[in-house]
Amino acid sequence: MMATFRNTLEYLGGECDDPPAFLAGRFNWAARAVVWAVAIFLIYAFCGQSSKFIYIDF
């Protein structure tokens, strides 16, 4: 499981050219959609727009 996770991150990061087996299989469009949905969710969660942090500049 960790090897698949590492291979996926390496592929998404551009380190290797060959996609992991679950991204290159029959349902690769669904797997890629899930990967992009998770990425968009993480970007939204950590971009600062959704947090309740108040920045005060004196």
Side-chain angles (χ1 to χ4, degrees), residues 5-56:
F5 182 67
R6 190 188 81 223
N7 290 340
T8 303
L9 290 179
E10 288 176 355
Y11 175 70
L12 293 175
E15 187 174 332
C16 62
D17 293 331
D18 298 327
F22 76 95
L23 287 178
R26 182 177 176 193
F27 296 107
N28 64 349
W29 61 271
R32 289 178 192 222
V34 169
V35 168
W36 279 106
V38 169
I40 290 170
F41 173 75
L42 290 174
I43 290 168
Y44 177 75
F46 292 106
C47 72
Q49 300 295 327
S50 63
S51 67
K52 302 297 182 207
F53 179 75
I54 299 173
Y55 177 75
I56 301 172

